[in-house]
Amino acid sequence: MTTIAELPPGFADKVLSAQSTFRSVMDAMARPGSVQRIVPMAGAPDTMMRGTAAIALTLFDHDTPLWLDARMAESADVTKWLKFHTGAPVVQDSSVASFALVGDGGALPSFESFALGTGEYPDRSTTVIVQIDSFTSGRGFELRGPGIDGVATLKASIKPFDLFERLQINEALFPRGIDVVLVADDAVVAIPRTTRVVSKGS
Amino acid sequence: MNAPAYNFAYLDEQTKRMIRRAILKAIAIPGYQVPFASREMPMPYGWGTGGVQVTAAILGPQDVLKVIDQGSDDTTNAISIRKFFAKTAGVATTTATAEATVIQTRHRIPERALNENQVLVYQVPIPEPLRFLEPRETETRRMHALAEYGLMHVKLYEDIARFGHIATAYAYPVRVNARYVMDPSPTPKFDNPKMDNCPALQLFGAGREKRIYAIPPYTQVVSLDFEDHPFEPYRFNAPCALCGAENSYLDEIVTDDKGGRMFVCSDTDYCEGRQAAGHYGSLSAAPYREKAGSHG
Amino acid sequence: MYVAVKGGERAIENAHRLLAHKRRGDQSVAEISLDQISEQLGLAVDRVMSEGSLYDRELAALAIKQARGDLIEAIFLVRAFRATLPRFGASEPVDTGAMRVQRRVSSTFKDIPGGQILGPTFDYTHRLLDPSLAEGFVPDAPATAEASTAPTPRVTDILGRDGLIESSPQAEDGASVGDLTREPLNFPADRDLRLQNLARGDEGFLLAMGYSTQRGYGRNHPFAGEIRFGEVEVEFFAEDAGFAVPLGSIELTECQMVNQFKGSATEAPCFTRGYGLAFGQSERKTMSMALVDRALRARELGEEALAPAQDEEFVMSHSDNVQATGFVEHLKLPHYVDFQSELGLLRKLRQEFADANASDAMKEAAE
């Protein structure tokens, strides 16, 4: 068992690190497919990547119910670290979560099990944060939509392999939908619900 | 006494997190107004509290901030807001559009084209474009949910029937990404085309009405119109009297009580930049004439 | 020759210096102290605390002094400060039944257990300007008596025992309390949020809205069941300690209106409630609030909501004087860019009108 004193630390400078991390995430969301770096570093418990940890410290708090996939939830350090540094309540019911942390994309549940928002309040939807292997190797994807000047090309090694096929539900649901943030180490890419993706093969 | 101590950029971190989450959802749903728990700011509601909260949530020490009101950096409220951030966040400020990374504005979009490294933050008084047609939030929210915008077209069409034109000169409604009808804030309709396919991220903050919305970069923004009455941006008959610009938005300055008037750029940075680059109008201001070595 | 307006920064600084000078007034007159404001303008302090939603007499007095006595400006100052304070949680509900009452009146019964207690009130004073107050007035010592130990149960509780009034809805244990300063307000809003909105609402606005219900715009047959003013204890449940910790005591005014009854084939008829609560002593505010609270319950009580005071969106969206002041006064800010756009359009329309008339006149002349 890890005691609180032994938990990996949060940001060294809470205020400025959160600001810098937020700007990276904001830029990622505003320019889907672009790879943004998260500069400020915090300690991260085992299964959590550095980028994921920084995003958690930046956006999670008492007001954001949080859903963890089995990979994340099985680590006592992850839950303890999140509770201590963010105070976000961990929920079992993914349909009420503001954020979902997915450590094992291979076991990602159907997007329908998350909050998709309502017609009146489409913003009340889960932001799903998925840790992936890499933005330097893997398949190529063509992205179009708001935030993209014509076409953006994303290279990523992603599990589940059919992530973008699954995200097609966003097309029919809009303005309801799921926003996805992909994290690989300290790099982050956002796929908001407006982004349409075409696989380019390998 | 509980002596106040304030955080970087004034807002506490919990508030910033709440606003930041709202901004992310606003970007993900272009043109949709995200409700947020707007805080009571140390300036009055209606004086830019929404824009100030958005700016405070995004601003970092590396940013260079520009604040304009009516296109000018020197209007009193722009000065007041610029000083607020210089004091609470210690950020560098500028009046030059090209140097700014964050531009907070009231009622104008700068004439100079914005770039990908910039964020434009609008102060919004009434974010709901349907509000003057339907005062009830419950109703307008339903209309947005169903994309039921007939009422707006009826209003615009009534204008045409009565005046021969769409009689909306500012806060001219737009449709974002072919879905949400959005209020561009009370900018003159002259500025509407600048919002379309803009490389910069555009964020909108309405403090009193507690709404944040956004237009991501490179997003389609169309001013509402009809096939037989297409949207026409406002045009001036004369160039700027100071810099000679023919395609900028002009302020009318009344010079006497006998009908004398002149027209000058509302974007003061743009106008000064043009004058410094050697462009002249019919009545160029004295300092620039002196610089050019002539005698006024 | 027109030169672009510069020097706004200097102008602002100078305006604020002049304001500070005017605030102080004639410096041969003694400066007013916060104690003097708190002690001698106590009802102003109460109002600023209530509508500023911050119980701190000293800060409210400072705000009144800083605002030159403009209470809405003072409320604004307090609100802006309050917005930056960290939140630890919500207090336990205060028990107004256990209030140490200084004043307590009921218009529904001639006498009530614990008695009618007039306390400090303007009621029954003759509103004649009193020159003796102008300077050096020393009031007589107040009349005293043995403090009564008799309980002072709330009139609505007495009615409630016989089922004559609807029971006050109780929140579930552990249910969170809404807070419209922390979460965006959505309509329809629950009563906790409505009451919070009204408690922060402008006294004048609530007075006018409450008054309108009496004049037939959403009439609800009110009786002032009870108005009480006094001190109550505030406690906070400390999770670490596992018990409620006393934080201190505050002064409150509470008004419970007893209103027209409801009932149906399945439900025995009973009176309904309207509720008002404010910091300090403020009967006008709490009575108005209770009338408006009752009016806003129309939906919940199955009444037709036709009057302004019954219209939740209308009342809640316009009750806040800090919001209202800001937006009304923002019309002072420059709007010349919009105005220019409007001016250009108007000139164009007038030109077209003139051209059309001229061509009509030519046609007529040609015929």
Side-chain angles (χ1 to χ4, degrees):
Chain A
M1 282 292 280
T2 318
T3 65
I4 292 214
E6 291 161 352
L7 282 175
F11 286 134
D13 181 332
K14 281 184 184 175
V15 175
L16 299 183
S17 296
Q19 187 275 333
S20 162
T21 304
F22 170 69
R23 279 292 275 275
S24 300
V25 176
M26 183 179 90
D27 287 344
M29 196 62 86
R31 299 169 199 283
S34 70
V35 180
Q36 306 289 333
R37 296 273 155 204
I38 288 177
V39 182
M41 279 304 132
D46 48 358
T47 44
M48 203 183 271
M49 291 174 178
R50 305 190 283 169
T52 313
I55 293 171
L57 294 171
T58 300
L59 294 175
F60 298 1
D61 60 25
H62 297 274
D63 297 330
T64 56
L66 173 64
W67 181 85
L68 301 176
D69 77 342
R71 174 71 58 82
M72 286 283 177
E74 73 192 9
S75 160
D77 281 2
V78 165
T79 48
K80 219 183 289 175
W81 185 88
L82 283 167
K83 169 107 182 121
F84 179 73
H85 285 295
T86 75
V90 173
V91 293
Q92 302 304 316
D93 178 1
S94 55
S95 74
V96 297
S98 299
F99 292 94
L101 280 187
V102 177
D104 174 15
L108 179 73
S110 156
F111 283 126
E112 269 108 343
S113 66
F114 296 106
L116 301 168
T118 64
E120 276 81 10
Y121 296 96
D123 56 307
R124 295 180 182 171
S125 62
T126 310
T127 303
V128 181
I129 301 168
V130 185
Q131 296 192 157
I132 67 159
D133 291 340
S134 158
F135 291 120
T136 50
S137 63
R139 283 161 70 194
F141 301 93
E142 267 189 5
L143 283 60
R144 292 170 196 273
I148 299 167
D149 186 11
V151 178
T153 311
L154 171 69
K155 203 172 175 57
S157 173
I158 302 176
K159 269 188 226 164
F161 296 112
D162 62 346
L163 177 77
F164 289 123
E165 282 79 12
R166 292 206 210 175
L167 277 174
Q168 283 172 1
I169 61 160
N170 275 336
E171 212 160 327
L173 283 174
F174 195 82
R176 301 166 67 219
I178 286 286
D179 307 309
V180 172
V181 175
L182 304 173
V183 180
D185 193 23
D186 66 341
V188 53
V189 167
I191 310 292
R193 65 191 74 181
T194 49
T195 303
R196 304 290 166 253
V197 186
V198 186
S199 171
K200 269 178 53 180
S202 57
Chain B
M1 192 174 293
N2 294 308
Y6 298 111
N7 194 14
F8 175 84
Y10 183 78
L11 295 177
D12 58 281
E13 289 303 296
Q14 193 186 348
T15 299
K16 284 186 197 163
R17 277 194 298 274
M18 177 269 296
I19 295 173
R20 286 168 179 164
R21 291 191 295 260
I23 290 173
L24 294 180
K25 286 298 174 196
I27 295 170
I29 317 167
Y32 164 73
Q33 304 162 49
V34 181
F36 83 112
S38 173
R39 297 295 191 251
E40 246 127 7
M41 298 299 285
M43 60 268 295
Y45 283 119
W47 298 52
T49 55
V52 166
Q53 288 180 81
V54 169
T55 299
I58 67 173
L59 206 61
Q62 272 84 43
D63 279 310
V64 180
L65 176 70
K66 171 181 166 85
V67 184
I68 51 172
D69 186 339
Q70 314 295 298
S72 165
D73 300 272
D74 298 306
T75 35
T76 43
N77 203 42
I79 291 168
S80 163
I81 291 171
R82 189 164 61 236
K83 277 181 77 175
F84 176 75
F85 283 114
K87 187 172 159 190
T88 59
V91 293
T93 60
T94 183
T95 58
T97 302
E99 286 169 15
T101 57
V102 176
I103 302 172
Q104 181 169 327
T105 182
R106 179 169 170 265
H107 295 194
R108 275 311 311 278
I109 300 174
E111 303 293 359
R112 188 192 170 93
L114 300 176
N115 65 49
E116 290 196 347
N117 298 315
Q118 296 178 313
V119 182
L120 183 59
V121 179
Y122 295 75
Q123 300 173 200
V124 183
I126 304 273
E128 179 50 72
L130 306 168
R131 184 61 69 234
F132 300 110
L133 309 171
E134 169 52 64
R136 263 169 220 288
E137 170 71 15
T138 35
E139 273 302 301
T140 53
R141 194 158 275 282
R142 190 186 57 79
M143 291 171 170
H144 283 297
L146 302 172
E148 191 186 287
Y149 295 126
L151 200 58
M152 180 64 90
H153 281 97
V154 169
K155 192 262 168 202
L156 296 177
Y157 209 85
E158 278 172 356
D159 279 2
I160 293 171
R162 195 153 153 218
F163 300 112
H165 297 278
I166 292 173
T168 299
Y170 61 93
Y172 190 103
V174 294
R175 192 151 194 170
V176 181
N177 191 33
R179 176 58 176 78
Y180 282 100
V181 167
M182 190 197 90
D183 178 80
S185 89
T187 48
K189 70 173 188 172
F190 175 92
D191 284 335
N192 275 22
K194 295 177 189 159
M195 307 177 91
D196 180 38
N197 204 37
C198 174
L201 170 64
Q202 302 173 72
L203 299 176
F204 299 77
R208 195 178 35 78
E209 300 279 338
K210 303 178 171 50
R211 297 288 184 272
I212 286 172
Y213 52 104
I215 304 174
Y218 304 112
T219 298
Q220 187 196 58
V221 179
V222 178
S223 302
L224 298 188
D225 63 359
F226 299 94
E227 246 167 54
D228 50 342
H229 283 271
F231 173 81
E232 289 171 15
Y234 182 68
R235 289 202 188 288
F236 292 85
N237 295 326
C240 169
L242 296 180
C243 76
E246 293 186 346
N247 49 6
S248 74
Y249 191 82
L250 304 179
D251 294 337
E252 178 172 342
I253 313 288
V254 176
T255 51
D256 57 40
D257 59 0
K258 298 175 187 68
R261 60 198 55 192
M262 63 188 285
F263 289 87
V264 297
C265 289
S266 110
D267 183 336
T268 48
D269 171 61
Y270 180 75
C271 192
E272 285 165 14
R274 278 180 54 86
Q275 291 176 67
H279 297 280
Y280 295 103
S282 56
L283 292 164
S284 292
Y288 294 97
R289 285 202 192 171
E290 280 162 18
K291 243 184 238 166
S294 69
H295 303 276
Chain C
M1 180 77 255
Y2 167 77
V3 179
V5 185
K6 289 266 182 192
E9 197 156 343
R10 272 282 293 287
I12 293 175
E13 270 164 30
N14 287 340
H16 292 172
R17 268 175 62 184
L18 184 58
L19 171 70
H21 183 77
K22 287 281 182 192
R23 168 164 48 223
R24 178 60 184 85
D26 181 347
Q27 292 184 37
S28 67
V29 175
E31 186 183 348
I32 193 168
S33 72
L34 299 191
D35 286 347
Q36 286 172 331
I37 294 171
S38 183
E39 291 301 310
Q40 296 173 44
L41 300 175
L43 298 185
V45 169
D46 287 349
R47 178 170 177 198
V48 169
M49 291 196 304
S50 268
E51 292 173 34
S53 31
L54 183 71
Y55 196 94
D56 187 320
R57 295 197 76 81
E58 195 181 10
L59 284 181
L62 174 64
I64 291 168
K65 181 174 179 178
Q66 188 176 333
R68 305 177 67 192
D70 178 337
L71 294 190
I72 292 181
E73 181 69 23
I75 289 161
F76 182 13
L77 288 167
V78 168
R79 290 260 195 102
F81 172 68
R82 177 193 190 273
T84 67
L85 297 176
R87 304 299 145 97
F88 300 111
S91 77
E92 293 293 293
V94 295
D95 181 5
T96 53
M99 179 185 274
R100 289 188 293 281
V101 292
Q102 296 178 40
R103 169 167 164 78
R104 182 227 196 182
V105 291
S106 169
S107 72
T108 49
F109 295 102
K110 183 174 183 192
D111 200 6
I112 41 178
Q116 306 256 19
I117 302 166
L118 283 187
T121 179
F122 291 118
D123 296 350
Y124 318 114
T125 61
H126 295 141
R127 269 65 169 201
L128 303 170
L129 279 172
D130 181 357
S132 71
L133 272 175
E135 215 180 332
F137 178 77
V138 180
D140 294 336
T144 56
E146 198 67 19
S148 162
T149 53
T152 50
R154 289 175 294 214
V155 167
T156 45
D157 293 346
I158 298 168
L159 286 170
R161 214 164 293 138
D162 300 332
L164 291 169
I165 192 165
E166 59 174 343
S167 54
S168 197
Q170 297 290 315
E172 283 169 43
D173 262 354
S176 61
V177 188
D179 182 351
L180 53 80
T181 69
R182 309 305 280 185
E183 306 216 351
L185 184 61
N186 303 314
F187 297 110
D190 285 341
R191 191 162 175 225
D192 54 346
L193 290 173
R194 296 202 304 259
L195 287 169
Q196 184 189 14
N197 176 282
L198 298 180
R200 289 160 57 89
D202 182 76
E203 182 173 315
F205 175 82
L206 293 180
L207 177 66
M209 283 289 129
Y211 177 46
S212 72
T213 67
Q214 291 181 287
R215 292 194 64 261
Y217 289 87
R219 186 154 182 242
N220 55 35
H221 306 273
F223 293 96
E226 184 176 355
I227 299 147
R228 55 170 61 198
F229 157 64
E231 257 179 53
V232 297
E233 299 296 331
V234 180
E235 293 182 329
F236 183 78
F237 187 82
E239 216 152 305
D240 301 340
F243 54 86
V245 183
L247 298 180
S249 63
I250 60 173
E251 286 186 338
L252 289 179
T253 304
E254 181 187 59
C255 170
Q256 301 234 36
M257 287 287 178
V258 175
N259 301 77
Q260 75 189 19
F261 41 83
K262 59 164 191 176
S264 65
T266 55
E267 213 182 340
C270 61
F271 288 117
T272 57
R273 292 168 186 263
Y275 188 76
L277 189 76
F279 289 151
Q281 187 174 10
S282 183
E283 286 163 33
R284 186 185 305 121
K285 166 73 181 258
T286 50
M287 293 178 78
S288 306
M289 176 175 166
L291 290 174
V292 178
D293 169 49
R294 175 60 186 78
L296 290 179
R297 295 182 62 211
R299 179 166 43 88
E300 166 196 345
L301 294 170
E303 297 164 349
E304 218 179 346
L306 299 170
Q310 296 170 314
D311 185 331
E312 177 177 310
E313 272 205 54
F314 179 81
V315 170
M316 293 181 73
S317 303
H318 302 107
S319 62
D320 191 295
N321 54 29
V322 177
Q323 287 176 12
T325 295
F327 202 49
V328 167
E329 294 198 17
H330 108 286
L331 291 172
K332 291 186 274 199
L333 290 179
H335 282 79
Y336 56 79
V337 160
D338 306 346
F339 186 71
Q340 188 62 44
S341 213
E342 206 74 333
L343 201 57
L345 177 65
L346 186 63
R347 281 183 179 139
K348 182 174 167 181
L349 295 177
R350 287 173 61 86
Q351 185 61 49
E352 286 173 1
F353 180 81
D355 292 351
N357 278 355
S359 80
D360 283 353
M362 272 181 33
K363 262 189 238 156
E364 274 170 33
E367 275 162 14

